[in-house]
Amino acid sequence: LGDKKDILKGFQLGAMASEEGINMAIKTYAGEYANALGKLDMVDFYDLRLKTLTSVIGKEDAEAAKNVFEKYKGQTIGSIRKKYEQTIAKLKDKTGLFDEKQKEEAKKTMEKLNPIYTLIELSEQRNYEELASGATKSVYNQMFKEALSKA
């Protein structure tokens, strides 16, 4: 009957058979990725992105960055992003829903969260760039081989 790899290969080939299939596969994967990332503890995120950090800022600075991530131990990527987005909403509010005291607290929260939020976003952006580069290489590899096989 075939194993899971055979079934997965069938789904992958089916997804790649049309632009609609490709878009659906990307959308599904992106949603699953965002959900999983949102549940990730900050220290686990650091461990996951250590290689990316090291490639950008070097081993010594990447290892020193662990202290920054450990300050947020027990918090998830999702909880930090949510708190950051809520803070932005308070600061940009034009409805009068938040008084000056709440906006001052929001400014303090923003100052506190901005560095870790920036580290999260930069790490994810750099990781995406590395993945995209690898995917592009893989596509070119496949296209070159296909062209060579037909030559």
Side-chain angles (χ1 to χ4, degrees):
L1 289 175
D3 64 12
K4 289 181 183 179
K5 286 183 182 180
D6 294 334
I7 294 168
L8 179 60
K9 185 175 182 179
F11 280 115
Q12 288 172 333
L13 292 172
M16 301 304 274
S18 69
E19 188 172 333
E20 182 182 355
I22 292 169
N23 289 336
M24 179 61 77
I26 290 170
K27 185 178 178 182
T28 300
Y29 175 75
E32 292 295 321
Y33 179 82
N35 287 336
L37 185 66
K39 295 174 185 174
L40 199 59
D41 181 85
M42 289 302 297
V43 174
D44 294 333
F45 177 76
Y46 167 82
D47 291 338
L48 184 67
R49 294 292 173 251
L50 179 58
K51 183 178 174 186
T52 299
L53 287 168
T54 302
S55 73
V56 176
I57 62 176
K59 185 177 181 178
E60 189 175 315
D61 287 338
E63 288 174 357
K66 186 170 188 170
N67 294 330
V68 175
F69 286 89
E70 284 179 340
K71 289 180 187 177
Y72 297 90
K73 185 176 183 170
Q75 294 185 53
T76 64
I77 299 291
S79 69
I80 289 174
R81 282 180 167 167
K82 183 177 180 180
K83 197 179 297 182
Y84 187 85
E85 290 162 6
Q86 288 172 339
T87 300
I88 288 174
K90 284 181 184 179
L91 292 172
K92 290 184 174 183
D93 178 61
K94 302 282 188 218
T95 65
L97 206 58
F98 303 101
D99 61 29
E100 286 307 309
K101 184 178 178 183
Q102 290 170 312
K103 287 188 176 190
E104 281 302 315
E105 282 192 30
K107 283 182 187 177
K108 290 177 186 174
T109 301
M110 178 63 74
E111 288 172 11
K112 180 183 174 192
L113 289 179
N114 197 50
I116 194 66
Y117 183 84
T118 300
L119 287 170
I120 293 167
E121 297 306 310
L122 287 174
S123 296
E124 281 303 287
Q125 182 178 350
R126 181 63 189 139
N127 184 62
Y128 172 77
E129 289 169 357
E130 290 173 354
L131 290 173
S133 174
T136 301
K137 183 178 178 181
S138 176
V139 168
Y140 276 115
N141 180 297
Q142 191 175 21
M143 292 170 69
F144 272 105
K145 286 182 178 180
E146 185 176 324
L148 287 169
S149 73
K150 293 178 181 179

